[in-house]
Amino acid sequence: MTVADYLSLFAVICIWSLLLINIALIVAGYVYYLRNESRQVPKIEGTAPFVSIMVPAHNEGKVIVKTVLSLLDFDYPKDRYEVIVINDNSSDDSAKLLQAIKNRHPERNFTIINTDNQTGGKGKSNALNIGFAQSRGEYIAIYDADNTPERKALRYLVGEITHDEKLGAVIGKFRTRNRNASWLTRFINIETLSFQWMAQAGRWALFKLCTIPGTNFIVRRSILEAIGGWDVKAVAEDTEISFRIYMMGYRIKFQSKAVTWEQEPQTLAVWFKQRARWAKGNIYVILKNVPLLFQKSARRIHFDILYFLSIYFLLLTSLILSDTLLILNALGYVHTTLAGLSTTLWLLAILLFIAGTFITLTTEQGEISFSNFLYICLMYVTYCQLWMIVAAYGFYIFLKDTILKRETKWYKTERF
């Protein structure tokens, strides 16, 4: 066997190992869906606990009004929750819009925290810490500024977390409210639904593990106090805090009936910037938690660490290596006796990806749609291939910011 053969074999083994793991997660997520649909969400017993809902916002004037009004309209006792918006060093009309809402609803527990470039402007984690310092709730719920949760979302989250003392946090489901705006938003909608049923529901069903998605979740105040709040250096503060909750011995549960609708990027440039930031943030979290692989006390979360490590390091390397070898072999620059086998396995992997994603969408929507099949096929040859570029660029900006010791700041996602 040549060097190219060994490299090709390595890439194939890595890709297929991760593919089979994801198929197992899809199956587990599907079974969880069937069981969860018929299961009633635990009801809140006795007096509803007081909840603080925090919304970190930076120049969110285009969407913040709709978000706050939806939060004030929760099907939850009005005197048992507060809404805190951290309007963090915004230069748009957010402060004026928020004050107008407060003036119209003086009877509600609605607090606006306006920061400047001295106290704020240092990213989502810092804004959440500022809001947390003024919060009063026994439980803390977080929503992004572009979210419009369904009325029962908070009741479902509270009912779930108060029903099981082993739960440190409960996450809900997020859906794309502008999914029909463009081809890109359709692809994002498919991606988010697949991620939730595969990586969230599947991991919960098999390992009792989930990762906080950054919005539409609730966490115990006692946990945040114990860990000292959010890591201000973490761009992916949601993933980072998930591992610290794990290490305290708590679980994070996925409750799919608690739904929020969020706005996704409608242009490729905005999407690329957002996802590169996510990649950079997750790389920071992965490297921060890799030492836990060598601690017995962290053995119950070894799968999650290895899973994220494989996605951002092993899979990216294998995909780039595999594609490069296939192209070079076709051009005659290298010769590999495994080219035919690699091509066959590559095509089979694509079919399995399409089948798994199609099952996910069919489960979510409750009907078989041929258009979904076409969207998934098109998504693979376009959107999915861009992920490699995004992840690679995320590595670049992570290394650059680390070397230059740049301070964490807001990475604003443009709203529409």
Side-chain angles (χ1 to χ4, degrees), residues 234-384:
V235 176
E237 83 297 328
D238 42 12
T239 307
E240 192 280 331
I241 205 169
S242 297
F243 281 100
R244 289 198 282 164
I245 292 174
Y246 295 153
M247 289 304 296
M248 290 185 68
Y250 288 100
R251 294 173 176 171
I252 302 172
K253 186 174 184 179
F254 176 50
Q255 174 47 260
S256 61
K257 293 182 179 179
V259 178
T260 190
W261 295 80
E262 64 180 19
Q263 187 186 96
E264 299 292 355
Q266 292 181 194
T267 67
L268 195 59
V270 174
W271 172 84
F272 188 91
K273 183 178 179 181
Q274 180 196 64
R275 298 310 169 94
R277 172 176 61 86
W278 289 3
K280 172 198 168 186
N282 282 321
I283 291 167
Y284 167 81
V285 174
I286 293 167
L287 295 179
K288 178 180 178 179
N289 288 283
V290 161
L292 295 179
L293 287 173
F294 307 99
Q295 296 182 21
K296 290 184 178 180
S297 60
R299 59 183 177 275
R300 63 182 300 270
I301 61 171
H302 283 174
F303 174 82
D304 251 21
I305 299 173
L306 290 171
Y307 182 79
F308 284 102
L309 189 65
S310 298
I311 292 295
Y312 279 94
F313 290 84
L314 198 57
L315 179 61
L316 176 62
T317 302
S318 299
L319 287 172
I320 293 175
L321 181 61
S322 177
D323 289 352
T324 301
L325 288 173
L326 285 173
I327 293 172
L328 292 177
N329 183 76
L331 295 175
Y333 289 109
V334 298
H335 176 69
T336 170
T337 56
L338 297 177
L341 176 62
S342 296
T343 302
T344 301
L345 292 175
W346 180 65
L347 292 174
L348 184 56
I350 294 174
L351 291 176
L352 287 174
F353 166 83
I354 293 173
T357 307
F358 184 72
I359 291 172
T360 299
L361 288 188
T362 302
T363 301
E364 173 69 25
Q365 297 173 357
E367 61 179 2
I368 298 176
S369 171
F370 183 67
S371 62
N372 282 340
F373 176 78
L374 295 178
Y375 279 124
I376 295 168
C377 292
L378 184 59
M379 174 184 175
Y380 179 83
V381 298
T382 56
Y383 185 86
C384 293

Side-chain angles (χ1 to χ4, degrees), residues 56-59 86-91 113-131 232 407-410:
H58 175 67
N59 290 335
I86 308 95
N87 184 35
D88 197 37
N89 193 32
S90 296
S91 57
I113 302 176
N114 294 304
T115 71
D116 54 27
N117 58 4
Q118 297 298 316
T119 58
K122 301 175 183 178
K124 184 178 178 180
S125 294
N126 183 68
L128 287 171
N129 285 333
I130 291 173
V232 295
E407 185 180 56
T408 302
K409 61 180 181 179
W410 277 100

Side-chain angles (χ1 to χ4, degrees), residues 7 23 25 32 54 57 119-120 128 187 212 227 259 281 293 300 305 349 353 364 374 397 404:
L7 292 175
I23 290 174
L25 292 176
Y32 175 78
M54 300 200 305
T119 58
L128 287 171
F187 294 155
I212 291 174
I227 64 178
V259 178
L293 287 173
R300 63 182 300 270
I305 299 173
F353 166 83
E364 173 69 25
L374 295 178
I397 59 176
L404 297 179

